[in-house]
mmCIF file of all heavy atoms in Angstrom:
data_model
loop_
_atom_site.group_PDB
_atom_site.id
_atom_site.type_symbol
_atom_site.label_atom_id
_atom_site.label_comp_id
_atom_site.label_asym_id
_atom_site.label_seq_id
_atom_site.Cartn_x
_atom_site.Cartn_y
_atom_site.Cartn_z
ATOM 1 N N THR A 1 7.551 -6.039 -4.156
ATOM 2 C CA THR A 1 7.897 -7.410 -3.749
ATOM 3 C C THR A 1 9.127 -7.365 -2.803
ATOM 4 O O THR A 1 9.129 -8.045 -1.741
ATOM 5 C CB THR A 1 8.192 -8.286 -4.944
ATOM 6 O OG1 THR A 1 6.989 -8.391 -5.713
ATOM 7 C CG2 THR A 1 8.534 -9.640 -4.462
ATOM 8 N N ALA A 2 10.089 -6.485 -3.145
ATOM 9 C CA ALA A 2 11.303 -6.479 -2.263
ATOM 10 C C ALA A 2 10.940 -5.989 -0.871
ATOM 11 O O ALA A 2 11.441 -6.569 0.116
ATOM 12 C CB ALA A 2 12.291 -5.469 -2.919
ATOM 13 N N PHE A 3 10.039 -5.040 -0.796
ATOM 14 C CA PHE A 3 9.618 -4.493 0.533
ATOM 15 C C PHE A 3 8.803 -5.542 1.300
ATOM 16 O O PHE A 3 8.915 -5.744 2.538
ATOM 17 C CB PHE A 3 8.826 -3.168 0.429
ATOM 18 C CG PHE A 3 8.628 -2.521 1.728
ATOM 19 C CD1 PHE A 3 9.636 -1.978 2.532
ATOM 20 C CD2 PHE A 3 7.259 -2.534 2.283
ATOM 21 C CE1 PHE A 3 9.429 -1.421 3.737
ATOM 22 C CE2 PHE A 3 7.031 -1.921 3.544
ATOM 23 C CZ PHE A 3 8.094 -1.410 4.248
ATOM 24 N N PHE A 4 7.904 -6.244 0.582
ATOM 25 C CA PHE A 4 7.138 -7.316 1.238
ATOM 26 C C PHE A 4 8.038 -8.351 1.792
ATOM 27 O O PHE A 4 7.781 -8.844 2.959
ATOM 28 C CB PHE A 4 6.083 -7.925 0.249
ATOM 29 C CG PHE A 4 5.227 -8.962 0.879
ATOM 30 C CD1 PHE A 4 4.046 -8.520 1.520
ATOM 31 C CD2 PHE A 4 5.557 -10.297 0.866
ATOM 32 C CE1 PHE A 4 3.204 -9.541 2.103
ATOM 33 C CE2 PHE A 4 4.737 -11.200 1.372
ATOM 34 C CZ PHE A 4 3.571 -10.833 2.010
ATOM 35 N N LEU A 5 9.053 -8.805 1.009
ATOM 36 C CA LEU A 5 10.019 -9.730 1.565
ATOM 37 C C LEU A 5 10.758 -9.207 2.711
ATOM 38 O O LEU A 5 11.094 -9.939 3.661
ATOM 39 C CB LEU A 5 10.941 -10.232 0.425
ATOM 40 C CG LEU A 5 10.265 -10.985 -0.732
ATOM 41 C CD1 LEU A 5 11.324 -11.298 -1.847
ATOM 42 C CD2 LEU A 5 9.597 -12.261 -0.275
ATOM 43 N N HIS A 6 11.178 -7.931 2.684
ATOM 44 C CA HIS A 6 11.784 -7.361 3.768
ATOM 45 C C HIS A 6 10.993 -7.385 5.095
ATOM 46 O O HIS A 6 11.568 -7.697 6.145
ATOM 47 C CB HIS A 6 12.116 -5.825 3.431
ATOM 48 C CG HIS A 6 12.340 -4.992 4.599
ATOM 49 N ND1 HIS A 6 13.671 -4.979 5.350
ATOM 50 C CD2 HIS A 6 11.648 -4.158 5.342
ATOM 51 C CE1 HIS A 6 13.585 -4.205 6.362
ATOM 52 N NE2 HIS A 6 12.419 -3.619 6.376
ATOM 53 N N LEU A 7 9.661 -7.241 4.990
ATOM 54 C CA LEU A 7 8.854 -7.338 6.132
ATOM 55 C C LEU A 7 8.631 -8.724 6.619
ATOM 56 O O LEU A 7 8.424 -8.862 7.803
ATOM 57 C CB LEU A 7 7.512 -6.792 5.786
ATOM 58 C CG LEU A 7 7.337 -5.225 5.578
ATOM 59 C CD1 LEU A 7 5.952 -4.857 5.172
ATOM 60 C CD2 LEU A 7 7.862 -4.382 6.793
ATOM 61 N N THR A 8 8.734 -9.755 5.765
ATOM 62 C CA THR A 8 8.283 -11.048 6.119
ATOM 63 C C THR A 8 9.367 -12.201 6.127
ATOM 64 O O THR A 8 9.050 -13.304 6.601
ATOM 65 C CB THR A 8 7.141 -11.541 5.161
ATOM 66 O OG1 THR A 8 7.638 -11.494 3.843
ATOM 67 C CG2 THR A 8 5.963 -10.579 5.302
ATOM 68 N N ILE A 9 10.567 -11.830 5.671
ATOM 69 C CA ILE A 9 11.636 -12.811 5.606
ATOM 70 C C ILE A 9 12.797 -12.395 6.484
ATOM 71 O O ILE A 9 13.287 -11.261 6.402
ATOM 72 C CB ILE A 9 12.188 -12.974 4.211
ATOM 73 C CG1 ILE A 9 10.978 -13.401 3.243
ATOM 74 C CG2 ILE A 9 13.306 -13.942 4.141
ATOM 75 C CD1 ILE A 9 10.449 -14.827 3.610
ATOM 76 N N ASP A 10 13.219 -13.292 7.393
ATOM 77 C CA ASP A 10 14.394 -12.940 8.278
ATOM 78 C C ASP A 10 15.324 -14.143 8.159
ATOM 79 O O ASP A 10 15.076 -15.185 8.764
ATOM 80 C CB ASP A 10 13.868 -12.724 9.707
ATOM 81 C CG ASP A 10 14.967 -12.277 10.513
ATOM 82 O OD1 ASP A 10 16.077 -11.871 10.075
ATOM 83 O OD2 ASP A 10 14.907 -12.274 11.829
ATOM 84 N N THR A 11 16.400 -14.035 7.386
ATOM 85 C CA THR A 11 17.378 -15.105 7.284
ATOM 86 C C THR A 11 18.701 -14.498 7.080
ATOM 87 O O THR A 11 18.869 -13.452 6.527
ATOM 88 C CB THR A 11 17.020 -15.987 6.106
ATOM 89 O OG1 THR A 11 18.031 -16.919 5.893
ATOM 90 C CG2 THR A 11 16.865 -15.181 4.817
ATOM 91 N N PRO A 12 19.766 -15.140 7.618
ATOM 92 C CA PRO A 12 21.125 -14.644 7.327
ATOM 93 C C PRO A 12 21.588 -14.855 5.902
ATOM 94 O O PRO A 12 22.557 -14.188 5.422
ATOM 95 C CB PRO A 12 21.990 -15.374 8.310
ATOM 96 C CG PRO A 12 21.189 -16.641 8.610
ATOM 97 C CD PRO A 12 19.776 -16.230 8.544
ATOM 98 N N LYS A 13 20.879 -15.719 5.165
ATOM 99 C CA LYS A 13 21.257 -16.029 3.849
ATOM 100 C C LYS A 13 20.925 -14.985 2.896
ATOM 101 O O LYS A 13 19.877 -14.328 3.045
ATOM 102 C CB LYS A 13 20.619 -17.371 3.451
ATOM 103 C CG LYS A 13 20.989 -18.574 4.188
ATOM 104 C CD LYS A 13 20.326 -19.827 3.805
ATOM 105 C CE LYS A 13 20.706 -21.088 4.588
ATOM 106 N NZ LYS A 13 20.002 -22.316 4.151
ATOM 107 N N PRO A 14 21.695 -14.760 1.832
ATOM 108 C CA PRO A 14 21.426 -13.703 0.889
ATOM 109 C C PRO A 14 20.084 -14.030 0.069
ATOM 110 O O PRO A 14 19.901 -15.127 -0.437
ATOM 111 C CB PRO A 14 22.571 -13.735 -0.134
ATOM 112 C CG PRO A 14 23.663 -14.353 0.628
ATOM 113 C CD PRO A 14 23.029 -15.344 1.592
ATOM 114 N N VAL A 15 19.230 -13.051 0.036
ATOM 115 C CA VAL A 15 18.007 -13.092 -0.846
ATOM 116 C C VAL A 15 18.029 -11.923 -1.735
ATOM 117 O O VAL A 15 18.038 -10.737 -1.331
ATOM 118 C CB VAL A 15 16.774 -13.002 0.036
ATOM 119 C CG1 VAL A 15 15.499 -13.024 -0.823
ATOM 120 C CG2 VAL A 15 16.679 -14.158 1.055
ATOM 121 N N VAL A 16 18.261 -12.142 -3.023
ATOM 122 C CA VAL A 16 18.510 -11.141 -4.004
ATOM 123 C C VAL A 16 17.468 -11.114 -5.134
ATOM 124 O O VAL A 16 17.206 -12.127 -5.812
ATOM 125 C CB VAL A 16 19.914 -11.397 -4.648
ATOM 126 C CG1 VAL A 16 20.276 -10.315 -5.664
ATOM 127 C CG2 VAL A 16 20.985 -11.565 -3.664
ATOM 128 N N LEU A 17 16.896 -9.948 -5.353
ATOM 129 C CA LEU A 17 15.989 -9.699 -6.535
ATOM 130 C C LEU A 17 16.748 -9.039 -7.637
ATOM 131 O O LEU A 17 17.644 -8.176 -7.343
ATOM 132 C CB LEU A 17 14.780 -8.858 -6.054
ATOM 133 C CG LEU A 17 13.737 -9.559 -5.215
ATOM 134 C CD1 LEU A 17 14.031 -9.288 -3.680
ATOM 135 C CD2 LEU A 17 12.349 -9.104 -5.518
ATOM 136 N N VAL A 18 16.423 -9.477 -8.828
ATOM 137 C CA VAL A 18 17.092 -8.880 -10.044
ATOM 138 C C VAL A 18 16.095 -8.795 -11.145
ATOM 139 O O VAL A 18 15.278 -9.634 -11.299
ATOM 140 C CB VAL A 18 18.328 -9.722 -10.390
ATOM 141 C CG1 VAL A 18 17.963 -11.139 -10.722
ATOM 142 C CG2 VAL A 18 19.191 -9.081 -11.496
ATOM 143 N N GLY A 19 16.250 -7.785 -12.004
ATOM 144 C CA GLY A 19 15.433 -7.599 -13.112
ATOM 145 C C GLY A 19 16.234 -7.000 -14.272
ATOM 146 O O GLY A 19 17.412 -6.912 -14.277
ATOM 147 N N ALA A 20 15.526 -6.461 -15.264
ATOM 148 C CA ALA A 20 16.161 -5.824 -16.410
ATOM 149 C C ALA A 20 15.242 -4.749 -16.874
ATOM 150 O O ALA A 20 14.029 -4.862 -16.740
ATOM 151 C CB ALA A 20 16.463 -6.895 -17.485
ATOM 152 N N MET A 21 15.951 -3.738 -17.561
ATOM 153 C CA MET A 21 15.079 -2.619 -18.082
ATOM 154 C C MET A 21 14.991 -2.826 -19.631
ATOM 155 O O MET A 21 14.123 -2.109 -20.234
ATOM 156 C CB MET A 21 15.759 -1.353 -17.844
ATOM 157 C CG MET A 21 15.757 -0.905 -16.352
ATOM 158 S SD MET A 21 14.111 -0.797 -15.674
ATOM 159 C CE MET A 21 13.489 0.502 -16.740
ATOM 160 N N ARG A 22 15.695 -3.690 -20.207
ATOM 161 C CA ARG A 22 15.620 -3.980 -21.591
ATOM 162 C C ARG A 22 15.456 -5.516 -21.923
ATOM 163 O O ARG A 22 15.995 -6.254 -21.183
ATOM 164 C CB ARG A 22 16.862 -3.404 -22.384
ATOM 165 C CG ARG A 22 17.015 -1.958 -22.282
ATOM 166 C CD ARG A 22 18.330 -1.427 -22.855
ATOM 167 N NE ARG A 22 18.416 -0.003 -22.786
ATOM 168 C CZ ARG A 22 19.474 0.746 -23.039
ATOM 169 N NH1 ARG A 22 20.651 0.045 -23.321
ATOM 170 N NH2 ARG A 22 19.453 2.047 -22.933
ATOM 171 N N PRO A 23 14.648 -5.852 -22.913
ATOM 172 C CA PRO A 23 14.295 -7.247 -23.173
ATOM 173 C C PRO A 23 15.594 -7.954 -23.652
ATOM 174 O O PRO A 23 16.585 -7.289 -24.088
ATOM 175 C CB PRO A 23 13.289 -7.195 -24.256
ATOM 176 C CG PRO A 23 13.555 -5.839 -24.958
ATOM 177 C CD PRO A 23 13.974 -4.921 -23.860
ATOM 178 N N ALA A 24 15.532 -9.286 -23.583
ATOM 179 C CA ALA A 24 16.671 -10.048 -23.938
ATOM 180 C C ALA A 24 17.060 -10.000 -25.460
ATOM 181 O O ALA A 24 18.134 -10.251 -25.852
ATOM 182 C CB ALA A 24 16.384 -11.540 -23.675
ATOM 183 N N SER A 25 16.048 -9.552 -26.291
ATOM 184 C CA SER A 25 16.257 -9.352 -27.687
ATOM 185 C C SER A 25 16.958 -8.138 -28.051
ATOM 186 O O SER A 25 17.377 -7.963 -29.238
ATOM 187 C CB SER A 25 14.923 -9.469 -28.410
ATOM 188 O OG SER A 25 13.983 -8.475 -27.925
ATOM 189 N N ALA A 26 17.197 -7.091 -27.184
ATOM 190 C CA ALA A 26 17.787 -5.892 -27.543
ATOM 191 C C ALA A 26 19.254 -6.068 -27.634
ATOM 192 O O ALA A 26 19.876 -6.877 -26.963
ATOM 193 C CB ALA A 26 17.453 -4.876 -26.392
ATOM 194 N N PRO A 27 19.862 -5.275 -28.514
ATOM 195 C CA PRO A 27 21.345 -5.394 -28.704
ATOM 196 C C PRO A 27 22.106 -4.919 -27.439
ATOM 197 O O PRO A 27 23.235 -5.278 -27.296
ATOM 198 C CB PRO A 27 21.554 -4.480 -29.892
ATOM 199 C CG PRO A 27 20.419 -3.538 -29.980
ATOM 200 C CD PRO A 27 19.292 -4.335 -29.465
ATOM 201 N N SER A 28 21.438 -4.167 -26.564
ATOM 202 C CA SER A 28 22.085 -3.731 -25.326
ATOM 203 C C SER A 28 21.386 -4.292 -24.155
ATOM 204 O O SER A 28 21.266 -3.579 -23.162
ATOM 205 C CB SER A 28 22.162 -2.161 -25.314
ATOM 206 O OG SER A 28 20.884 -1.695 -25.475
ATOM 207 N N ALA A 29 20.897 -5.477 -24.210
ATOM 208 C CA ALA A 29 20.140 -6.101 -23.094
ATOM 209 C C ALA A 29 21.008 -6.079 -21.792
ATOM 210 O O ALA A 29 22.126 -6.464 -21.784
ATOM 211 C CB ALA A 29 19.732 -7.509 -23.463
ATOM 212 N N ASP A 30 20.361 -5.637 -20.697
ATOM 213 C CA ASP A 30 21.045 -5.531 -19.408
ATOM 214 C C ASP A 30 20.710 -6.743 -18.506
ATOM 215 O O ASP A 30 21.388 -6.959 -17.548
ATOM 216 C CB ASP A 30 20.677 -4.283 -18.682
ATOM 217 C CG ASP A 30 19.190 -4.128 -18.550
ATOM 218 O OD1 ASP A 30 18.423 -4.532 -19.400
ATOM 219 O OD2 ASP A 30 18.698 -3.569 -17.453
ATOM 220 N N GLY A 31 19.839 -7.563 -18.948
ATOM 221 C CA GLY A 31 19.407 -8.732 -18.102
ATOM 222 C C GLY A 31 20.544 -9.688 -17.857
ATOM 223 O O GLY A 31 20.707 -10.132 -16.662
ATOM 224 N N PRO A 32 21.320 -10.186 -18.856
ATOM 225 C CA PRO A 32 22.352 -11.176 -18.565
ATOM 226 C C PRO A 32 23.336 -10.711 -17.555
ATOM 227 O O PRO A 32 23.664 -11.491 -16.631
ATOM 228 C CB PRO A 32 22.966 -11.367 -19.973
ATOM 229 C CG PRO A 32 21.861 -11.076 -20.957
ATOM 230 C CD PRO A 32 21.144 -9.951 -20.301
ATOM 231 N N LEU A 33 23.936 -9.502 -17.703
ATOM 232 C CA LEU A 33 24.932 -9.027 -16.670
ATOM 233 C C LEU A 33 24.251 -8.897 -15.321
ATOM 234 O O LEU A 33 24.855 -9.164 -14.295
ATOM 235 C CB LEU A 33 25.620 -7.757 -17.148
ATOM 236 C CG LEU A 33 26.663 -7.226 -16.244
ATOM 237 C CD1 LEU A 33 27.746 -8.245 -16.025
ATOM 238 C CD2 LEU A 33 27.244 -5.940 -16.788
ATOM 239 N N ASN A 34 22.979 -8.313 -15.377
ATOM 240 C CA ASN A 34 22.295 -8.183 -13.994
ATOM 241 C C ASN A 34 22.165 -9.468 -13.368
ATOM 242 O O ASN A 34 22.409 -9.597 -12.122
ATOM 243 C CB ASN A 34 20.973 -7.526 -14.232
ATOM 244 C CG ASN A 34 21.021 -6.021 -14.501
ATOM 245 O OD1 ASN A 34 22.066 -5.408 -14.316
ATOM 246 N ND2 ASN A 34 19.922 -5.432 -14.861
ATOM 247 N N LEU A 35 21.734 -10.547 -14.082
ATOM 248 C CA LEU A 35 21.588 -11.848 -13.464
ATOM 249 C C LEU A 35 22.952 -12.434 -13.049
ATOM 250 O O LEU A 35 23.019 -12.987 -11.957
ATOM 251 C CB LEU A 35 20.901 -12.780 -14.516
ATOM 252 C CG LEU A 35 20.620 -14.217 -13.929
ATOM 253 C CD1 LEU A 35 19.882 -14.191 -12.604
ATOM 254 C CD2 LEU A 35 19.800 -15.005 -14.947
ATOM 255 N N LEU A 36 23.928 -12.279 -13.824
ATOM 256 C CA LEU A 36 25.259 -12.778 -13.474
ATOM 257 C C LEU A 36 25.697 -12.116 -12.209
ATOM 258 O O LEU A 36 26.298 -12.749 -11.253
ATOM 259 C CB LEU A 36 26.255 -12.455 -14.618
ATOM 260 C CG LEU A 36 27.548 -13.219 -14.720
ATOM 261 C CD1 LEU A 36 27.343 -14.703 -14.856
ATOM 262 C CD2 LEU A 36 28.417 -12.659 -15.800
ATOM 263 N N ASN A 37 25.549 -10.798 -12.082
ATOM 264 C CA ASN A 37 25.901 -10.117 -10.888
ATOM 265 C C ASN A 37 25.111 -10.505 -9.682
ATOM 266 O O ASN A 37 25.649 -10.528 -8.573
ATOM 267 C CB ASN A 37 25.816 -8.539 -11.058
ATOM 268 C CG ASN A 37 26.903 -8.026 -11.942
ATOM 269 O OD1 ASN A 37 27.973 -8.665 -12.059
ATOM 270 N ND2 ASN A 37 26.764 -6.842 -12.485
#
């Protein structure tokens, strides 16, 4: 998806994709900090 957007979107505004490797239920979930960042 990131590469498709790279090919088809041209804007000076930030376009940021974010995900997580661990679910929200995990004691060490990385999603909240990734989204905050």
Side-chain angles (χ1 to χ4, degrees):
T1 298
F3 187 70
F4 183 84
L5 294 178
H6 162 76
L7 290 178
T8 58
I9 302 296
D10 187 16
T11 176
K13 297 178 181 180
V15 177
V16 183
L17 287 93
V18 62
M21 292 301 298
R22 294 174 178 170
S25 54
S28 55
D30 55 325
L33 183 56
N34 282 349
L35 180 52
L36 198 61
N37 284 341

